[in-house]
Amino acid sequence: MKILYVVHYYLPRHQAGTELYTQALARKFKEEGHQVWIFTSEDQAEPGWELKKDEYEGIEVFRLYHSGARDFTSTYQREEFDQIFAQVLEQIQPEMVHFQHLLRLSLGFIAETKKRNIPAVMTLADYWLICPAIIMLLPEDKPCPGPEQGKACVRCPHSLSGMIPNLLWQMPGVFQRASERALAYAHQIKRQLPPSWVEWLREILGKKAEQEKKNRLLFQRWQEMKKAVNELELLIAPSKFLREMMISRGMVPCLLYTSPSPRDLSTSRMPSSA
């Protein structure tokens, strides 16, 4: 079988848990006689992106070099990266794609496999699907009770850390236009009003508009995650705790496969759908 593994970072430069797990899977399947590849990302200082290919432990690795997300949406979705991934799919023609993590890459990768009728599975490495900050912790280091489809995330500074400065003014909307008109009027009459009144008006209207933008962005992220999950053939949880977390928070359906080890993945028959 021809298998493509997709992971946010990979060896030798990056050696955390997800990277080492992906390495173990790739090694085992290669030993079993399967043909395997890795698709991953790498950091670069300059803007833009470039796909390079190298080899590690006898396995071809496609590395997408880029400088990181340019705004909140691009922390999980990049159309330009989808096009690059599509080219790799056309080149190697895998029979299965195993997603380990799509941080720094794009959710659209899943849709690209779907277009080509390539079975796609994903291993849940952490809370990324339901938590933009991944860690599911409130600022006071207390466990987050749940994202509420992104609604609760608006109140969490951790989840908004990926949002660019001055987000309000870069995204048009009803609240933005209303606040702009109100502020323009305030400027016209500011000589007749106490300075503190003008500053209060600016703060209140600005915060309301910014809140609306954050609500929309976080709910949109939730919807895109749900859509991507529904396009997978199989979702794999490494623990019952993570399995139940994803189910109880409403991200995945009740059917979810729990896998204990890379060895079992290479020798056991997995369910056909999740």
Side-chain angles (χ1 to χ4, degrees):
M1 180 179 285
K2 298 165 68 175
I3 308 169
L4 174 63
Y5 292 98
V6 181
V7 62
H8 61 314
Y9 279 133
Y10 196 62
L11 289 80
R13 185 176 177 183
H14 310 279
Q15 300 189 28
T18 305
E19 293 89 327
L20 294 175
Y21 183 73
T22 305
Q23 178 195 34
L25 283 175
R27 277 178 175 174
K28 184 62 181 177
F29 276 93
K30 188 172 185 295
E31 290 174 3
E32 295 287 336
H34 301 284
Q35 192 173 0
V36 300
W37 295 266
I38 306 291
F39 189 104
T40 188
S41 78
E42 281 289 351
D43 300 309
Q44 70 175 23
E46 60 273 14
W49 53 87
E50 182 181 6
L51 184 68
K52 297 181 180 180
K53 187 168 67 173
D54 59 61
E55 188 174 292
Y56 184 74
E57 296 186 335
I59 297 173
E60 283 190 322
V61 182
F62 294 89
R63 300 184 193 269
L64 181 56
Y65 287 79
H66 66 92
S67 55
R70 59 178 178 266
D71 55 30
F72 181 73
T73 301
S74 63
T75 62
Y76 66 90
Q77 203 164 45
R78 301 279 294 262
E79 290 184 5
E80 62 272 31
F81 292 177
D82 296 343
Q83 295 173 7
I84 293 172
F85 185 69
Q87 293 171 5
V88 172
L89 291 178
E90 293 294 336
Q91 177 183 338
I92 66 177
Q93 297 288 312
E95 297 171 80
M96 185 182 80
V97 177
H98 191 163
F99 294 104
Q100 299 293 331
H101 216 305
L102 287 171
L103 179 70
R104 288 185 49 82
L105 296 170
S106 176
L107 273 182
F109 286 13
I110 298 175
E112 292 299 330
T113 64
K114 188 77 172 179
K115 289 178 188 176
R116 294 161 178 80
N117 296 316
I118 303 171
V121 304
M122 175 182 281
T123 293
L124 299 173
D126 48 40
Y127 305 117
W128 184 69
L129 289 179
I130 61 174
C131 175
I134 302 176
I135 57 177
M136 286 289 288
L137 284 176
L138 300 175
E140 58 271 24
D141 291 334
K142 294 181 180 178
C144 173
E148 299 175 16
Q149 298 187 4
K151 296 176 183 177
C153 301
V154 178
R155 304 187 294 270
C156 177
H158 290 164
S159 69
L160 301 176
S161 61
M163 292 193 177
I164 54 178
N166 302 318
L167 179 63
L168 167 63
W169 313 114
Q170 299 191 36
M171 305 191 69
V174 174
F175 283 108
Q176 178 186 341
R177 292 191 293 271
S179 64
E180 286 174 343
R181 288 194 296 268
L183 290 174
Y185 179 71
H187 281 300
Q188 293 175 10
I189 64 171
K190 65 182 179 181
R191 293 181 181 178
Q192 303 175 34
L193 292 176
S196 59
W197 287 25
V198 177
E199 290 305 315
W200 175 82
L201 181 62
R202 185 192 303 273
E203 181 179 1
I204 293 299
L205 291 176
K207 284 184 176 179
K208 184 176 182 180
E210 185 176 0
Q211 184 86 349
E212 177 65 20
K213 302 308 172 183
K214 290 175 179 178
N215 277 329
R216 188 178 66 81
L217 285 173
L218 287 162
F219 183 63
Q220 180 181 359
R221 182 188 189 274
W222 179 272
Q223 288 181 309
E224 293 298 329
M225 292 289 176
K226 286 277 291 184
K227 178 181 176 182
V229 165
N230 288 335
E231 292 179 332
L232 293 167
E233 298 295 325
L234 180 70
L235 205 54
I236 303 169
S239 70
K240 291 183 178 179
F241 178 83
L242 185 54
R243 176 185 187 273
E244 293 305 318
M245 176 74 76
M246 293 295 167
I247 293 172
S248 63
R249 270 55 178 185
M251 176 53 65
V252 301
C254 60
L255 295 177
L256 191 66
Y257 182 72
T258 304
S259 172
S261 71
R263 182 178 182 85
D264 292 332
L265 282 177
S266 68
T267 58
S268 63
R269 182 177 179 182
M270 289 187 275
S272 59
S273 63

